[in-house]
Amino acid sequence: MKSSKERRSTAQPFHCSGTVKQVPHAVTGGVAADHVVAGPLDHSRHQLTSLRTDSVDSSALGNQGESAALHVAAGLTTSAGELVSNLSGLLPPIGLEVPMSCYAVDVPLKVESAGDVNLDLKGGLRVRVEADLDSGLGGRMLKVIGFEMNADHPQLGRVTLSLADVNTTPLSSLEVIRSLPPTFRSTFLLDWTLSIETTPDGPRVLSNPQTATMVNEHLTTFPPQGAMYQLQQPVDFTIIGSPDQVRASLLQLPTTVSHNA
């Protein structure tokens, strides 16, 4: 039986390198609204000193962000579109490629010939910003163009998780889920090749029939810096071309992701 996805079983080495334009950091802490307002206050503005704008850090947003924070606190602005416009500088520009390092400790992998093993995986991924995300509060659509993590195991030898050569993987996303403070949901959709150097049947190359999903629900800046991404559900790996013959399962993948400056 042929797999529904066309794959190359030989993964090409992937290296995270390159330079990325500086992207302004998003909000990382809270500040009271009375710290945003400065100078002489009339009566209506004086009332703001008793209010707080739910963890608004205007210094991270610049002049536009300070204006947005003040207007929201004063009830002068209610338009989500206006707020997203003020935060547009926090989103990466279309066409930008972003390399990131990845590190995951004690990753549980179940292998048919070896049982349960734990791996320390290191590597990286690279995404390209493809388009605007028009739904909700907006954001960006991302394409994963590189991924590789590997580990050495005394029984299995070199174990490598790499991006499969498929054209059917959906785009990933960076969604604005909150305007003040700016908060994003970052989702990576991934089709992998799992290569195991040593098994009783010799070297083994497997693939995941179902696209994997890794998510950070409360990202405050993109590219991420030391952000934890979690696998949304276990991922089965099967013999390529035989999606019913499961030979390994990735149970979790708690991955620390950081931008390579």
Side-chain angles (χ1 to χ4, degrees):
M1 178 190 305
K2 292 186 178 179
S3 170
S4 61
K5 300 175 181 175
E6 294 299 327
R7 306 172 181 261
R8 283 205 301 264
S9 61
T10 302
Q12 297 297 319
F14 169 69
H15 303 283
C16 272
S17 62
T19 302
V20 176
K21 297 177 182 177
Q22 181 65 33
V23 178
H25 285 189
V27 170
T28 58
V31 66
D34 53 335
H35 292 165
V36 175
V37 180
L41 302 177
D42 58 23
H43 176 69
S44 62
R45 291 195 172 205
H46 182 70
Q47 292 178 335
L48 295 179
T49 60
S50 63
L51 302 175
R52 293 183 179 270
T53 59
D54 194 11
S55 302
V56 175
D57 184 350
S58 62
S59 63
L61 302 180
N63 293 334
Q64 286 187 328
E66 181 174 347
S67 175
L70 177 59
H71 279 66
V72 169
L76 302 178
T77 270
T78 57
S79 168
E82 288 182 47
L83 292 175
V84 171
S85 177
N86 285 332
L87 299 175
S88 61
L90 299 177
L91 295 170
I94 294 173
L96 183 71
E97 292 189 4
V98 184
M100 291 164 273
S101 63
C102 300
Y103 181 51
V105 181
D106 283 336
V107 175
L109 178 69
K110 181 178 291 186
V111 181
E112 181 186 51
S113 60
D116 295 338
V117 301
N118 289 86
L119 304 171
D120 291 347
L121 290 162
K122 298 179 181 179
L125 69 91
R126 181 186 293 267
V127 301
R128 183 174 62 236
V129 184
E130 293 286 290
D132 288 326
L133 175 64
D134 295 328
S135 61
L137 294 178
R140 295 286 191 265
M141 301 301 296
L142 312 174
K143 181 177 179 64
V144 179
I145 58 175
F147 183 100
E148 183 173 302
M149 298 181 73
N150 53 61
D152 291 314
H153 187 268
Q155 184 178 355
L156 300 175
R158 175 57 64 97
V159 178
T160 301
L161 191 63
S162 58
L163 191 67
D165 182 26
V166 297
N167 296 318
T168 57
T169 307
L171 290 178
S172 301
S173 62
L174 177 67
E175 307 168 67
V176 179
I177 60 174
R178 188 175 181 183
S179 298
L180 293 172
T183 308
F184 308 95
R185 178 188 295 112
S186 176
T187 303
F188 296 138
L189 300 180
L190 299 151
D191 287 305
W192 285 316
T193 294
L194 177 66
S195 301
I196 303 174
E197 184 178 32
T198 304
T199 74
D201 299 321
R204 176 80 79 180
V205 179
L206 307 171
S207 63
N208 56 317
Q210 301 297 322
T211 299
T213 303
M214 294 180 65
V215 175
N216 182 300
E217 294 277 358
H218 304 288
L219 199 65
T220 57
T221 183
F222 191 90
Q225 289 291 351
M228 178 64 70
Y229 284 72
Q230 296 284 357
L231 198 63
Q232 294 303 284
Q233 60 185 19
V235 178
D236 289 334
F237 290 90
T238 67
I239 296 173
I240 294 176
S242 301
D244 296 329
Q245 299 186 39
V246 177
R247 294 294 181 266
S249 296
L250 184 64
L251 305 181
Q252 298 177 35
L253 189 61
T255 305
T256 301
V257 179
S258 295
H259 166 49
N260 289 343

